[in-house]
Every structure is written in C-alpha cells, then in structure tokens.
Amino acid sequence: MSRRLRRKVSRKGKEKVVAHSYTEFEEGVSTSERNGDVDWTCLPDDTVIQLFSCLNYRDRASLASSCKTWRCLSASSCLWNSLDLRAHKCDLAMASSLASRCRNLQKLRFRGAESADAIIFLQARNLREISGDYCRKITDATLSVIAARHELLECLQLGPDFCERITSDAIKQIAFCCPKLTKLRLSGIRDVQGDAINALGKHCLHLIDVGFLDCLKVDELALGNVASLRFLSVAGTSNLKWGVVSHVWHKLPNLVGLDVSRTDVGPAAISRLLNLSLSLKVLCALNCPVLEGDVNFIVPKIKGKSLLAHFTDIFEGIASLFVDITSKGKTVFLDWRNSKKTHKCMDEMMSWFEWILSHSLLRSAENNPQGLDDFWLKQGAPLLLILMQSSQEDVQERAATGLATFVVIDDEHASIDRGRAEAVMRDGGIRLLLDLAKSWREGLQSEAAKAIANLSVNVNVAKAVAEEGGIDILASLARSMNRLVAEEAAGGLWNLSVGEEHKGAIAEAGGVKALVDLIFKWSSGGDGVLERAAGALANLAADDKCSMEVALAGGVHALVMLARNCKFEGVQEQAARALANLAAHGDSNGNNAAVGQEVGALEALVQLTRSPHEGVRQEAAGALWNLSFDDRNREAIASAGGVEALVALAQTCSNASPGLQERAAGALWGLSVSEANSVAIGREGGVAPLIALARSDAEDVHETAAGALWNLAFNPGNALRIVEEGGVPALVHLCSSSVSKMARFMAALALAYMFDGRMDEYALVGTSSESTSKIVSLDGSRRMALKHIEAFILMFSDRQAFTAAAASSAPAALAEVTEGARIQEAGHLRCSGAEIGRFISMLKNPSVLKACAAFALLQFTIPGGRHALHHAKLMQNAGAARVLRATAAAATAPIEAKIFARIVLRNLEHHQAESSKGL
C-alpha cells in the first residue's frame, strides 16, 4: 500500500529513528557524518527551535532532556507563547514544573476543573487568552481567582459544555479584574443578571465580542447598555424577551453581527432588528423553529445586510457583505483567506462568522433536528469542510467534530446517513480530514480521527480513506501518547477493519501491534480506547492471516488480560469477541490452543457468561464454543465450571436474542462432544433448555440446539431425559419443518440415536410398574420418530435417480443421487470412532434406521468434506465395508439404504485410493 524511501535507520530501544542519507558531502565533513550518523546537537539554534515548534509539549520535554544545549533552547519564550493542556492532567505539581517556562505565555487551553485550579500556579501573568472545556465543575471562586491573577486577559472562553456552577458574581469579578477584555464567551450560565452585564459595560471598555450561549436567562435590557459591542451571540439561550430585544438591541451603535441561532425568535423581532439597526450587517438565525415554521415570512432585502438561516443561501449572504470581492457562493471564505488585501473590520467579522457557524452547526448536529437533510447536503457539509480550513484551531476542531456527528443516525447501532457521508467525500473532505490528522496539534488529530472513524462506517468512504493513505495515518496516531488521539485512531481502525479488503493493509501499516500496545498502555483508566482497540482486533482476528499477526504481537495475552480484569461491559464484549475470532481458525493455525493455554483465559470467559449484559454473555459463549473444538480446551472448560455456567445461560436465554441463543446452544454442542461432558450437561439440567431452544424461530438456533441434542442423545440416559422432557415432538418438528437442512439432518440423527434400542435397555431399570409405563411411552415416541426419520430420508430421494442407480452401476447414476442427497454443511461435522461404530451398527437394523445410517455415512464421507478422510479411516478400521456390502445386497432393505450404501462404498474406495497415492 505504501512506498518506502530508502533511508538509514538507527535504533533507539525498540523504536526506529529515521536519519537522512546524504549523497553529497562537503570538504571537512566527518567520517561519522559520511556514514549517515548526524550530530543533531550541532544544528543551528534557530533550526532546533523550529523543530521544537512542530512538536507537542510531551515530545518537546523528551527532546529537551537529551542534552544541556537543547534544554536551554527548549525554554525559549517563543516556544511557550501558547500552551494546550487539554490532553494532560494538569495538577498543582505539573503547573509548578511548567512555571519557569510560562512567564511569557500568551494563550492557554485547558480541560476540566482540576486544570482550572492549577492555572494560577503557572504564574503566567502575561496571559492574553484562556479557553476551557468541560467546565461543569468550575466554581465562581476558581474563575474569580483566575481573573484576579491575569489582569491583562483579553479573551476568555468557557464551553461548549455548560458552566453550571458559575454565576453572575464571577462575571462581575471578571469585569473588575480584566479591564482589557475584548472577548467573553460563556456557555450554560443559569442566570446572567443585569448588574454583571452592566459591570462588563462599565469596566471593560474594549469589549467587542460577547457570547452567552445556551444560558437559561440573560438580562436583555442590560445587554443594550454595552455600547462597545460589535458581535453578540445568544445562541441556544432560552427565556429571552424578544419584544425587549427588538426595541433595545437595535440601538447598539457598533453592533455588526448578531447570532440568535437555536432560539425561539420570531419573524417580527428579526424584521425589526434588520430594519431598525443602523450598524447591523448580519443576523444569524440557524435552527430557529418559530422563524422557520412561519411560511409567510419574507426575508427583508436590505442592502448591506444579510440574514443567515437554514432557508437562505449562507454563502451568498456572506459574499454580499463584501464590496470589493468578485467571487460568490462557496468560494467566499477561501477568497477572503487568500486575499492580499487586509481590512480589519471584515477580518474580524469573517473570524466571528467562522466561530458562530462552527458552534451552531455542531450543536445542530448533536441535536439532529428533523427536516435538515436538504440543508446538510447543500450547505451544512460544505460549510463544515470550509471551516476545517480556518486559521482558528478551535473552529477547525469543532468543524471536524461536526462532521463526525452530523453523519450519525443511530449511535448505538453505528448507523450513519449514506448521503451525508458521501457528500463529505465528494467535496474532498477525506483529504482535508487526513491533513488535519497529520497536524502536530493533538486536538486536531483527535477530532479529525473521530470524523474519519465515523465516516468510515460507509463502505465507499472507507475505501476512499484507504486509497488516500488513511490507514497509515490512523496506525501512526494509534501510537500517540495522547489517550484521546489514540482512542479515536483506534476507532477509525475498528471501523475500517470491518472491510475484508482493509485488514491486510492495517496489518502492513503496523496497526495490529499498535492496537495491542494500546491495551497494555491504557490497561487501566482508558475504557474508551480499550473498547476500540479490542473491537478492531476482534475484526482483524476474523481473518486467518491477521489472526496470526494478533497472536504474534501478544494479542492473546492482552485480550485475556482485558477479559479477566476490565469491568466495563463494552471492553469485555469486544475482548471476548476477539478471543472467539482468534479461536475460530483451528484448522489453519494454533491460536485456538494458544487461547486455551493462556493463564486464566477459560476461567475469565466462563465468568463472563454470567455477566448482566447480554452482549458480553453472547460473545463469551461464542468464544467458548470455538475453543471447545480443541480437545484439551474442551476438558479445561468443563474443569473451569463451563458446563454449569453454560447450562445456566441456556436456561435463562429463551427470550434473549437469537445470537445469544445460538451461541449458548453452540457452546453446549461443542462441550458435549466429550461423553463425560455430555453426561454432565444432562445431569445439570441442560436437556430442557436445549429443547426449548430447538423450538426457536431462528434457523441458526435450530442448528446449534439440534447439534447439542444429537450429541446428548448418544448417551442413553440423556436420550431418556430428552423423551421425558418432551424433546421428541420438538426434534420431529425440526426434522420435518426447519428451513435449515443441517438442523433437519441433526434432528433426524438425534432421533435415530434415541430409538436404535439402547435407550430401551436403560429405561427398563427400576420397578416393573415404572418400566411398563416407560415402555408404553417409548413405543409411541418411537413410532412418531421413525415415521419422521423416514419422511426426512425421502426428501432426498429422487425416485427417478434412484431407479436409474438401482438398474445401473454406472458412476454417473450414483453421482446424480449423491448430488441430490448432499447436505453441504454436513461435511464440516466430525464424528468419533464410537459414533461411526454406532451408525455401522444401525446398518443392521431392520427398520428405517438402516437407511438413516447409510444416509449419514454418505454425508460424512463425500469427497471434499473437511473430515471425510478421517471418517473413512474410522470406517475401514471398524470393518464397515463388509456391512455396507451386505446392506447394498440385502433383498429386503429399502432402496434408499441400498443405494446410499453403494455410494458410501464408492466413497471409501476413493479415499483409500487417495491415501495410497499419498504414500
């Protein structure tokens, strides 16, 4: 998938560090340099500083510790103008360690209340801009101290989540302490009172941009007193008195932009503001239900003013504000960014447009109101793509998050809107997102990776991501030391790994090892990243070749560790699914045995079958089912309490999903291959729930329940239990009515086991009166069973083909019968010597069981079947040929038994000839 440039590589620990290979050398260059060993400490200082500026803060610290020179250079003030602490746990200790470098810090981004408390210990008295996320727990006291310690503050933004514990008291403190404030944006304040707003107007004379977003109440009258305002947003704020707004705000002398998106503003207020305000140029009213619901509303056409709404052309509206711009439509933002002319007022306005549009579009995407499909396709998606190219980092992040969000229809079931996803792809969004993902800014990496992950649910988008090199980028991001970045990258690999065509590319890009390493790296405290990593490994493990890569990378140990120790159900479910897929390749690699041999693996899976979450139970049962194909695992599962756990699971899943029912019955089917386990299942009460599952409406459940009952019926005690629990009617129904040929076949074999005479001897044990009643009951059940076994055999008996085969020994005639009688899936069944011996004994039975046994042996020996050669050897060792010839020649035998016996003989001869060739 990727081209490789020839480079020299030096090793540092387990990682590779790329060093340039030089083809030309100047005089005086040392021998070590000619060999490609560059002395990095000799680089010019400005080059080192430029290098440091391209790294995140963690990598800067790592390189700074390499030598004294770099440690000094890393402290250069130009490298510490801006600091983004959102991905880090910023506590008092961390803030104190950074303090010496933050004297000239201008811009700070943080996340959470703990980081907010630590900000003052950075001693960054020159801070001009503070932006905080996840501010629900930030208090008035914390915000007031921040304001008091940073009197030069010009911009303060807290959101987009709600600041539930901040009140107007803190806003007043900001006004008193930060007179140079020009921009204040707060989200989710309960009540922004008039005295706080008046304090802002009185003390912050340069305040031009205010945003009170998603607030419960804002004093509209007081906002009319902040004469310096040029831009005002009250998007999402409720309880606004629009009569007051329309009569007061239009008097603001400098107000250029007003954002009332996601409010209950009506046409009257909109018209009054646009008509009466002398300064207002743009009014943004996106997703305003009252306004959009008025079919009679006509947008006022006022020169130099524009209304931005879902029902207007937003691009044209913004373009109309330019007097010296020739472009129109969707190029207006790009033309403005590329313009060599500078116009401070328009630059401020366009930057504000980007901010409010990114915020409103993200909120609309999160709420996903009805009726916006046309808007998203024609304007929303193109706007988000254009905003991703903004010079404002927070706008880029919100735009990427908006793309990740607006395509999702059903988050729980990972459903996305195909039209929206392909609109993003069609407009070049994949390339833009991948470019953002390659940014050194971890916030952009995280949000871009999230968008790529969500969009990749669509098959066509996933293909485009792969073709654009997205798999290599995501695999690289999955190695990030930033948990949020690694988590979203793992999510992208998870969704891409659904496609069979991408699995190999992910492995080639080193994605398998990166995912396994993530599990070890975030084994505690990273449920999101662990679930995504385990989910991606589960998908990859479904591929035979990739499953071996997973095992070689330490994936078995990592996944078992999750299954044993993690308490989060999403992680448990994906870890169990991954182990199930690893164990599903028993014929082609040794992962099945490897999982079983991993310490604690089987015990953990047995324990997970008792989980309160159905998905976890389902995947754990599926893993045990696959693992039970290995003889050692089968017995070890039983020793770990697997029989009791799976019987209990089967007893409780009659009303569960078909997937859980199938796997619960399948796991019991796998365990019951061992006669000791079969007896234990019967003793633990496993017969009744399997009979109940045999009555399921789902075809797959029919097969696993019938298979388990077939195995159980081999034991005469279990056979009698099946009769006593009402299993005969259930098996008869399967035998005659199931959509699945395989289920009908195994139901017939179970009935054949039950009524070949062995159960009769077992039923005679006890008092004479009990024996008599049992015999009477068994007689009726036997007649019913034999009747339906015969009917089943006749389903595969073409009279014309049978007559031709009886009259001729030509291979073509037998081949035609074989083709008509073949049950494709039966070739995957593997029988023991005891089972083969039992069918050979049935060939001597005078009833329809003779034909049933011949039919079964035909299925087990058809050339090409997975275990056909194994069965042929067992039959040869048991002397089956003699019995088969006797059956084929018996004058009184049913024609079906005779023809099927002849076919089985031919199959044995074929396998014997093949074995001779091999020797």
Side-chain angles (χ1 to χ4, degrees), residues 83 130 150 198 235 324 331 387 448 459 514 554 629 792 883:
L83 187 60
I130 295 177
H150 303 97
N198 288 330
D324 58 347
T331 65
L387 294 173
V459 174
F629 285 98
F792 169 75
V883 182

Side-chain angles (χ1 to χ4, degrees), residues 425-457:
M425 177 177 66
R426 188 169 52 251
D427 290 340
I430 303 305
R431 185 70 265 162
L432 288 173
L433 286 167
L434 291 175
D435 287 342
L436 281 188
K438 291 189 291 186
S439 165
W440 66 270
R441 294 184 173 89
E442 292 176 332
L444 293 178
Q445 290 176 354
S446 174
E447 299 308 319
K450 181 191 299 181
I452 294 166
N454 286 358
L455 289 163
S456 294
V457 172

Side-chain angles (χ1 to χ4, degrees), residues 60 71 82 165 238 322 336 357 409 527 596 702 805 822 866:
R60 285 185 199 176
R71 185 163 59 252
S82 175
R165 301 173 69 177
S238 54
F322 287 87
W336 163 66
L357 287 173
I409 299 172
D527 292 339
H702 289 174
R822 183 171 188 169
R866 182 183 295 178

Side-chain angles (χ1 to χ4, degrees), residues 814 817-818 858 898-908:
L814 292 178
V817 174
T818 302
L858 181 153
K898 296 167 69 171
I899 299 300
F900 289 149
R902 287 172 57 187
I903 295 172
V904 175
L905 281 168
R906 188 194 63 171
N907 291 345
L908 292 179

